[in-house]
Each structure stands twice: as structure tokens, then as C-alpha cells.
């Protein structure tokens, strides 16, 4: 068993991957909701509902809890445009893992509190309460995020110490503010109140997909399924997941960090300019100081695409990398 784990780790480091085994029977998917309490303080809370899709292949004992990024809901994890290529959940279900793709509070079928109540920390607290309800059914839980959802996943794991692994995608600790700030500045109000924002029409390719190929059907699908994020989610994302006060220092389980050629998080490898994503080894060197308590940090770079890597034509490569890594947890 130890030899197999060492081999899997080596394959991740070199970029040589094994295809995950296919599920032997049909995966069952169901719409689920979970009551959660969230608030700005322990004394000021509201009762909310987190919605998602739980897909379980036969015999699954590990569940991946998936948190989407800003202006995305659960559909990011099950992209309907050419799902055989772009559906992360399908790939992991075929590898034998259950998946719970969540709508963040304020999005999709989850409840929509006032935006001022919606921070990265309250989203992480909501995810923690969901995980508590999953534990009796599953022996292992991996929390995963994309972009700002990765910040929430790290806050959850570092704060509550209740997961067996953390998957970080589309995020590093050295955010490139030169590219991120213009994206945020060009967002427009949408949703319940003015604190909920979304991208302006026809800006998603430059914001989330460049330098990947511009595939009209793919970008149209992304535009048609976009949702909101609360501006307050960005505040503690920056405070708790950058070089200021990285909550990731408290993570004590294996971590896999996956990025594309992401101009928002990859650049010169210095603060305010992005991490060094020139290779998996360079990314690991740059990010390792932020995960001192993690027993293992693995890294993977998906070349040829930008921020929203589930839309990449070669997305199955990273999906397989995750499945290979998850089997070592």
C-alpha cells in the first residue's frame, strides 16, 4: 500500500497520470438541501438553506464537497456544454467518488440572505455544517473549491479540522491584483441587493477563460449560467488566503493545488503579481510555505487554458490527476 501511494505521488509530480477506473454501475444523483445557520457574529445569525446535487456511485465511501467560484453556481462542476469533457462530477463519479456540488449562499437554489451577511467565512461555516451532516454516511470527506470557492474550502479546512483532504483549483496565495482588480471593477449589481455583483455582458472570456481557445458554444454556456457573488466574500478571501494571514497554515491534511495558465493567480511569483506556475515543481516551491502543517502538498498545472479550467478542452487531464490523488487520501 505504501509503494502504491508513493507511485501515485510521483505520477502527480511528473504530470504522468493514470486513467481512473470506471464505475461498475450507474451513479445516483439527487437534489439535496441542508439547513444552516450563518451570521456576522455568534449572537446574530439567520436560518438559511444550502442546496446542491449529491451524486453517489455504488459503494462510494469518499465524498467530494465542491464549492464554486464567484459568479458560478453548482453548474461549474457539471458543465453542460460537452459534459463528457467538461463535467468534473462525472469524472469523479466514474472514478468511484461521490460528489456534492453546492450552490453557495446567494446563488442557485440556495437561500439568498442580505449580501452583507455573505462572506467567505460564513460560506465556509455553511460548508462545515453540511459536512457534519454527511459524515454519518461517508468515511472520508474531501473539500474542494474553485477560485473564491477555494478560499472558502481552505477557511473551512483550517478552521474546523473536519476533512481528510483539500483540493484547491484556480487559486494561489499570490493573487495578481493587476488583472483581478479590473475584473472586479467591471462587475455590475445583480440579485437581491446592490452588494451582489456579476460580470457585465460578454466579458467572461477575457475575465475567466483567456488565454484558452475562444469556443463560442462554451462561452455562451458560461454566460447563460452565470450568477452572482457578494462583494463581501472578497474581503476575507484576501485577508485569510493571501500573504497577510493565510488560514492554510492551519490545514493538517493532504492538499492538491491545480491551476491553469491563470493570469489572475500566476505571474512572477512575487506578492501582488501572482505565483510561479511555470511548472508543478515551481508552483509547489512557491506555495509550500503557506501549507507548513499539511503532510503533503501536490501541485498540477493544466497548460493551455486560463482561470475556469473545467471549460478547458484538456480538462480531463486535471480530472484524472484529482482522481489519482484522491485515491491516496
Amino acid at each position: 500500500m505504501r509503494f502504491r501511494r508513493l507511485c501515485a505521488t510521483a505520477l502527480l509530480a511528473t504530470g504522468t497520470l493514470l486513467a481512473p477506473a470506471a464505475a461498475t454501475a450507474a451513479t445516483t444523483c439527487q437534489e439535496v438541501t441542508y439547513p444552516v445557520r450563518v451570521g456576522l457574529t455568534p449572537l446574530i445569525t439567520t436560518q438559511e438553506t444550502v442546496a446542491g446535487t449529491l451524486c453517489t456511485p455504488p459503494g462510494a465511501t469518499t465524498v467530494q464537497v465542491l464549492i464554486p467560484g464567484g459568479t458560478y453556481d453548482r453548474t461549474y462542476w457539471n458543465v453542460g456544454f460537452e459534459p463528457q469533457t467538461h463535467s468534473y462530477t462525472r469524472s469523479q463519479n466514474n472514478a468511484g467518488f461521490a460528489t456534492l456540488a453546492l450552490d453557495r449562499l446567494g446563488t442557485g437554489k440556495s437561500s439568498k440572505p442580505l449580501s452583507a451577511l455573505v462572506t467567505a467565512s460564513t460560506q465556509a461555516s455553511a460548508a462545515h455544517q453540511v459536512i457534519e451532516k454527511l459524515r454519518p454516511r461517508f468515511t472520508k470527506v474531501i473539500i474542494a473549491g474553485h477560485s473564491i470557492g477555494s478560499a472558502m474550502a481552505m477557511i473551512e479546512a483550517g478552521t474546523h479540522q473536519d476533512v481528510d483532504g483539500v483540493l484547491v483549483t484556480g487559486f494561489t496565495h499570490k493573487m495578481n491584483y493587476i488583472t483581478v482588480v479590473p475584473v472586479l471593477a467591471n462587475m455590475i449589481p445583480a440579485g437581491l441587493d446592490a452588494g451582489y455583483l456579476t460580470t457585465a455582458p460578454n466579458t467572461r472570456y477575457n475575465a475567466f477563460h483567456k488565454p484558452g481557445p475562444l469556443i463560442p458554444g462554451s462561452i455562451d454556456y458560461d454566460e447563460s449560467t452565470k450568477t452572482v457573488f457578494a462583494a463581501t466574500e472578497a474581503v476575507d478571501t484576501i485577508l485569510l488566503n493571501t500573504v497577510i494571514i493565510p488560514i492554510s497554515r492551519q490545514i493538517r491534511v493532504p492538499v492538491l493545488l491545480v491551476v491553469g495558465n491563470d493570469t489572475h493567480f500566476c505571474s512572477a511569483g512575487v506578492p501582488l503579481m501572482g505565483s510561479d506556475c511555470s511548472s508543478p515543481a515551481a508552483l509547489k516551491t512557491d506555495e509550500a510555505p503557506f501549507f507548513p502543517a499539511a503532510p503533503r502538498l501536490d501541485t498540477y498545472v493544466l497548460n493551455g487554458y486560463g482561470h475556469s479550467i473545467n471549460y478547458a478542452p484538456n480538462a480531463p487531464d486535471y480530472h484524472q490527476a484529482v482522481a489519482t490523488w484522491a485515491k491516496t487520501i
Side-chain angles (χ1 to χ4, degrees):
M1 178 62 72
R2 183 180 180 185
F3 175 76
R4 289 173 60 192
R5 292 187 176 184
L6 289 172
C7 289
T9 302
L11 290 171
L12 280 167
T14 61
T16 304
L17 303 168
L18 298 176
T24 57
T27 294
T28 301
C29 294
Q30 61 185 122
E31 297 287 304
V32 291
T33 57
Y34 302 92
V36 298
R37 295 202 68 85
V38 300
L40 293 176
T41 73
L43 298 178
I44 305 174
T45 63
T46 62
Q47 183 74 44
E48 307 294 345
T49 300
V50 172
T53 302
L54 176 63
C55 294
T56 310
T61 58
T62 298
V63 60
Q64 299 182 20
V65 178
L66 311 174
I67 307 175
T71 75
Y72 285 101
D73 60 16
R74 75 180 91 169
T75 58
Y76 175 76
W77 300 103
N78 186 25
V79 174
F81 176 79
E82 297 182 355
Q84 69 277 9
T85 298
H86 301 295
S87 175
Y88 176 92
T89 55
R90 178 183 292 193
S91 72
Q92 300 308 298
N93 298 153
N94 287 342
F97 300 105
T99 55
L100 173 57
L102 298 176
D103 290 332
R104 296 180 352 273
L105 291 169
T107 72
K109 295 182 179 178
S110 291
S111 58
K112 298 169 178 60
L114 292 173
S115 63
L117 296 176
V118 182
T119 67
S121 296
T122 55
Q123 298 279 22
S125 175
H128 165 63
Q129 293 171 68
V130 170
I131 289 169
E132 286 184 314
K133 295 175 176 65
L134 290 171
R135 271 298 182 185
R137 180 173 179 181
F138 297 98
T139 57
K140 291 184 178 180
V141 177
I142 295 171
I143 191 164
H146 168 68
S147 191
I148 202 170
S150 288
M152 297 162 189
M154 288 190 285
I155 293 171
E156 197 285 331
T159 301
H160 299 287
Q161 307 290 327
D162 61 349
V163 297
D164 302 281
V166 181
L167 170 63
V168 175
T169 74
F171 193 93
T172 73
H173 285 83
K174 296 180 179 178
M175 188 182 300
N176 187 346
Y177 293 93
I178 293 174
T179 63
V180 170
V181 170
V183 172
L184 295 175
N186 288 329
M187 288 195 174
I188 57 177
L192 180 68
D193 59 57
Y196 283 112
L197 306 174
T198 195
T199 52
N202 303 315
T203 61
R204 293 186 78 81
Y205 172 73
N206 286 333
F208 300 135
H209 302 273
K210 191 177 180 179
L214 201 168
I215 303 171
S218 176
I219 304 305
D220 290 345
Y221 179 85
D222 190 21
E223 180 74 26
S224 69
T225 57
K226 73 180 182 182
T227 181
V228 300
F229 92 107
T232 42
E233 290 177 285
V235 176
D236 50 345
T237 288
I238 294 171
L239 291 176
L240 295 177
N241 290 281
T242 62
V243 295
I244 302 173
I245 315 170
I247 191 68
S248 57
R249 291 182 181 275
Q250 304 302 319
I251 294 176
R252 295 180 171 84
V253 294
V255 177
L256 173 61
L257 195 157
V258 182
V259 295
N261 302 139
D262 190 339
T263 59
H264 299 323
F265 291 95
C266 299
S267 185
V270 296
L272 309 182
M273 291 291 289
S275 295
D276 185 351
C277 307
S278 58
S279 70
L283 179 61
K284 182 173 182 176
T285 297
D286 218 356
E287 284 289 306
F290 302 105
F291 297 96
R296 195 173 88 233
L297 171 65
D298 294 304
T299 52
Y300 186 89
V301 178
L302 185 71
N303 288 311
Y305 213 77
H307 183 59
S308 295
I309 52 177
N310 279 341
Y311 282 83
N314 56 340
D317 293 345
Y318 114 74
H319 296 165
Q320 290 179 13
V322 174
T324 301
W325 168 81
K327 290 178 179 179
T328 70
I329 300 301

